[in-house]
Amino acid sequence: MTAKRILLVLVSLLIGALVALFLTFFERYERQLDRGWSAKAIRNPYLAAERFLDARGLETRRADNIAAVAGLSPQDTLYVASSSQVYNGERARELLDWIERGGNAVVVARRGTEGERDWLLEELGVTAETGSGDFFFTNPMRRFIGEEAEEYSGKSASELLREHNRKLREGENTDGETPEDSGADAAEPAAPEPPEDPDVDPSALVTLTSDSGHDYRLHFNPTTLLWHPTLDSEGASGDSDPAFWANMENETAGGDSDPVFWADMENETAGVPFIQFERGDGLLTLMADAGLWQSDRIGHFDHVFLLEQLASDGDFVFLTRPQFDSLPVLARRYAREFFGAGALALLAWLLLRSRRFGPRAAEPETARRSLLEHIAACGHYYWREDRCSALLARYRDSLLRRLGGDNASQKTRRRLCEQLNAATGLGETRITDSLWGQPPHSEEAFTERMRNLQQIEAVL
């Protein structure tokens, strides 16, 4: 066996041994990492609600204007994220007409500024009042460090986290145990994760009872509450039947302007967070909390049960405020198309500039010539076009008319030459050639003739 074959056998045995070791000691495990919300969930706060309804077999879609009511069927459900989107009386009337034909609408009442009209609430006789504002999610750090957040009220989030981390490093805990006290339990299994629902005072919850006898709890934001005159006459606390739609027909009697059901909170007297109206064959639900079904709160308590009960058999249409992506988000999303289009435009420009027909034209002169160069160029042009003789003849005829020498006799010409000779110093021969001689045939002779005529004109 050659050395080459021995080397190949040893390499094969080594590779086989490594594979056997890997298969012997390899252990597969899975770990779940929370990467935060996706870009789609950030753009659409109702994404979790849409996916829940899709899982229940209901079609969901989004709309941007209350005018979408014209295209809804009586079996659909319309969720309006703010009553201000019903921006005039005509739109409010269209919405109520659709409800009377059997539509199901869920509207979040908005508490506007003083003097601002809410057309839908005016039609229903409902006003949005200011509540207590004691909401669990008012302090955002409360979700992460629990009730300890109340100890640091007035501090910024960064200061609050630094203080909390310092206490953790020092070994402090909520039970007041020291690290030595808790060292004996260090080997014990970790405590189970806290429940999904936040620790809210039961008096701040709304409890509804379904027709099957089960109690369902809801946590509304008490910052804004709803008020109707019926609540004043009936009593907003303790007079409404807690049964959830089970005894709606036995609720307050009255016209379409009176609510048929409302849910009250024990610790709130300014109003209620939830009112329902029957309009014709349809149902209108008013809520004071716009975040009940948003993705960060729909999983708490029984919020999703309320959404399922309010949804009808048709499509569920979300009418929310349009949210536009920022410029950096759009740049990242369409960067490939942008640079691709730019590359194609550059290629087309290069192809256009690279094509030409015939020899390359000379670059035009950009510098301006002087006045003397301009006069010289004009003179050469007139000389080439044989216009100098006509120019000389016109100039000479005008001088002869002034001297009275046109068609003059020889005696008169001699007398004029003597007078001009005495005045200009030019010879009589040069004067005669300039005034009555033949046209010149060279540039130098033409220039001399014109100079002589200018001297004669100067003494006249």
Side-chain angles (χ1 to χ4, degrees), residues 47 55 74 82 104 139 218 224 232 235 238 266 333 343 348 351 377-378 388:
L47 180 62
S82 175
N104 184 18
N139 188 344
L218 306 172
T224 302
D232 194 12
E266 293 183 11
R333 186 183 305 169
L351 292 176
C378 291
C388 292

Side-chain angles (χ1 to χ4, degrees), residues 2 9 25 29 50 98 147 197 232 240 244 264 282 287 309 313 324 332 379 427 434:
T2 62
V9 171
F25 296 102
Y29 71 95
E50 292 180 2
W98 172 72
E147 295 299 330
D197 298 334
D232 194 12
S240 61
F244 189 48
D264 56 353
M287 296 196 310
Q309 293 298 318
D313 297 334
F324 302 99
R332 288 194 300 269
S434 300

Side-chain angles (χ1 to χ4, degrees), residues 14-44:
L14 180 60
I15 293 175
L18 292 176
V19 172
L21 289 173
F22 175 78
L23 294 177
T24 302
F25 296 102
F26 172 75
E27 181 181 357
R28 181 185 297 274
Y29 71 95
E30 295 181 357
R31 192 172 71 174
Q32 212 171 26
L33 297 178
D34 185 6
R35 300 183 180 274
W37 287 16
S38 64
K40 187 176 181 180
I42 295 175
R43 291 194 302 269
N44 181 13

Side-chain angles (χ1 to χ4, degrees), residues 137-401:
F137 297 99
T138 301
N139 188 344
M141 303 307 300
R142 197 172 184 180
R143 301 177 57 184
F144 302 101
I145 63 177
E147 295 299 330
E148 293 183 16
E150 302 299 333
E151 302 177 10
Y152 312 115
S153 60
K155 296 184 178 181
S156 64
S158 58
E159 293 174 344
L160 192 149
L161 286 175
R162 284 197 297 269
E163 183 69 18
H164 180 69
N165 292 333
R166 183 190 63 80
K167 293 176 65 176
L168 291 179
R169 286 194 299 269
E170 293 175 356
E172 297 179 5
N173 51 43
T174 56
D175 297 332
E177 297 178 352
T178 62
E180 292 77 8
D181 298 333
S182 59
D185 300 333
E188 295 182 0
E193 294 184 359
E196 186 70 23
D197 298 334
D199 186 12
V200 180
D201 186 1
S203 62
L205 299 177
V206 173
T207 303
L208 302 176
T209 304
S210 67
D211 52 359
S212 60
H214 292 88
D215 290 340
Y216 297 93
R217 299 183 304 164
L218 306 172
H219 181 36
F220 289 92
N221 185 353
T223 305
T224 302
L225 298 174
L226 304 176
W227 184 258
H228 189 273
T230 303
L231 304 181
D232 194 12
S233 60
E234 298 285 344
S237 177
D239 290 341
S240 61
D241 191 347
F244 189 48
W245 290 294
N247 301 317
M248 281 178 52
E249 297 180 355
N250 299 326
E251 291 294 340
T252 57
D256 289 343
S257 60
D258 293 333
V260 295
F261 180 83
W262 65 84
D264 56 353
M265 303 171 67
E266 293 183 11
N267 60 348
E268 296 292 339
T269 59
V272 296
F274 182 89
I275 298 181
Q276 285 186 316
F277 294 85
E278 280 188 344
R279 305 283 296 197
D281 297 332
L283 183 66
L284 172 61
T285 303
L286 278 181
M287 296 196 310
D289 189 356
L292 194 68
W293 295 330
Q294 293 185 3
S295 299
D296 57 343
R297 289 180 54 201
I298 192 173
H300 296 151
F301 299 102
D302 300 306
H303 298 168
V304 71
F305 170 78
L306 180 63
L307 174 63
E308 184 179 16
Q309 293 298 318
L310 290 177
S312 57
D313 297 334
D315 296 346
F316 199 102
V317 181
F318 287 89
L319 178 57
T320 59
R321 292 186 180 275
Q323 296 184 355
F324 302 99
D325 295 327
S326 61
L327 184 59
V329 172
L330 294 176
R332 288 194 300 269
R333 186 183 305 169
Y334 300 107
R336 182 181 303 174
E337 293 82 353
F338 174 78
F339 287 108
L344 291 176
L346 178 61
L347 179 61
W349 181 80
L350 291 175
L351 292 176
L352 177 64
R353 299 294 295 177
S354 63
R355 298 182 60 187
R356 61 184 178 87
F357 300 94
R360 185 179 181 86
E363 295 291 337
E365 185 68 32
T366 57
R368 298 181 62 182
R369 58 190 178 185
S370 64
L371 180 61
L372 293 178
E373 291 176 339
H374 179 73
I375 294 174
C378 291
H380 286 296
Y381 171 75
Y382 282 119
W383 182 262
R384 289 195 304 268
E385 295 294 327
D386 199 17
R387 296 183 181 181
C388 292
S389 58
L391 179 64
L392 179 63
R394 287 195 298 270
Y395 190 25
R396 186 167 58 182
D397 292 343
S398 65
L399 289 177
L400 289 176
R401 283 194 299 270

